[in-house]
């Protein structure tokens, strides 16, 4: 079941952190960079976030979630995380498709991921995202920014 998460709720924020931290630790292994800001987040940070969170549950367990913000005519996908125990089950694709279906046609959808994160880049490309540019955010560490093409 996919539903809107009440991230202001303490127990929901705790559940989210239990998914987010292992997911980003796996990304660290893939990209070789441990400066991912979400690795330092606390439940208080999640509760204070202005992002909109959508989660995927199986029974009572949160398996993954996606978040986004809409600023004017742009939807920015801020994070897409799946607990490593549930990788390769189509959860990330399901969450991404859900949010893309929510996006009004009038907004452009963008996302950023580590330039070395091949699994994430493949996922986004499979869902009609195209690379816009690489951005150096730390010395010798790049993120790739992609934009969704709804016309494909």
């Amino acid at each position: 079941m996919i539903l809107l998460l009440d991230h202001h709720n303490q127990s929901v924020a705790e559940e989210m952190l239990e998914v987010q931290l292992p997911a980003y630790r796996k990304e660290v292994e893939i990209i070789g960079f441990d400066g991912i800001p979400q690795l330092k987040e606390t439940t208080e940070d999640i509760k204070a976030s202005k992002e909109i969170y959508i989660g995927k549950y199986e029974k009572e367990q949160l398996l993954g979630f996606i978040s986004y913000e809409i600023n004017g005519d742009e939807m920015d996908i801020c994070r897409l995380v799946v607990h490593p125990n549930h990788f390769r089950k189509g959860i990330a694709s399901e969450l991404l498709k859900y949010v893309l279906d929510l996006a009004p046609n009038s907004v452009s959808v963008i996302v950023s991921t580590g330039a070395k994160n091949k699994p994430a880049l493949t996922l986004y490309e499979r869902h009609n995202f195209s690379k816009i540019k690489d951005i150096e955010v730390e010395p010798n560490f790049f993120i790739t920014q992609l934009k969704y093409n709804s016309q494909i």
Side-chain angles (χ1 to χ4, degrees):
M1 170 183 3
I2 293 182
L3 41 95
L4 181 66
L5 297 175
D6 178 9
H7 66 285
H8 303 294
N9 176 293
Q10 180 68 27
S11 63
V12 173
E14 289 170 2
E15 257 186 312
M16 292 169 66
L17 211 53
E18 288 173 12
V19 171
Q20 177 172 295
L21 293 178
Y24 280 115
R25 284 188 203 110
K26 271 295 187 201
E27 185 171 0
V28 165
E29 291 174 22
I30 293 168
I31 66 175
F33 177 72
D34 65 359
I36 300 169
Q38 290 86 351
L39 277 172
K40 297 177 179 82
E41 283 188 337
T42 65
T43 54
E44 294 307 312
D45 295 321
I46 289 173
K47 287 168 52 179
S49 173
K50 302 285 189 233
E51 297 167 27
I52 298 166
Y53 293 87
I54 307 289
K56 166 74 174 179
Y57 280 89
E58 187 175 273
K59 298 181 182 164
E60 301 291 314
Q61 183 182 13
L62 181 64
L63 307 180
F65 63 89
I66 189 169
S67 73
Y68 64 92
E69 294 179 328
I70 296 181
N71 297 306
D73 62 353
E74 187 172 270
M75 174 189 271
D76 184 5
I77 296 175
C78 304
R79 62 187 92 199
L80 174 54
V81 294
V82 175
H83 193 284
N85 291 345
H86 300 285
F87 281 1
R88 306 240 181 262
K89 295 181 181 178
I91 295 166
S93 285
E94 192 176 350
L95 288 165
L96 185 57
K97 182 174 177 352
Y98 186 90
V99 167
L100 291 173
D101 288 345
L102 289 177
N105 289 338
S106 60
V107 303
S108 59
V109 181
I110 60 163
V111 66
S112 298
T113 190
K116 293 181 181 177
N117 190 342
K118 298 300 180 206
L121 291 169
T122 300
L123 170 75
Y124 294 124
E125 289 166 357
R126 215 174 334 128
H127 287 276
N128 301 326
F129 281 80
S130 300
K131 178 179 173 177
I132 299 172
K133 61 184 170 184
D134 286 330
I135 304 164
E136 188 172 21
V137 292
E138 294 274 335
N140 298 314
F141 177 71
F142 294 84
I143 61 170
T144 297
Q145 188 177 60
L146 303 109
K147 182 177 180 180
Y148 176 64
N149 183 350
S150 61
Q151 305 305 314
I152 296 177

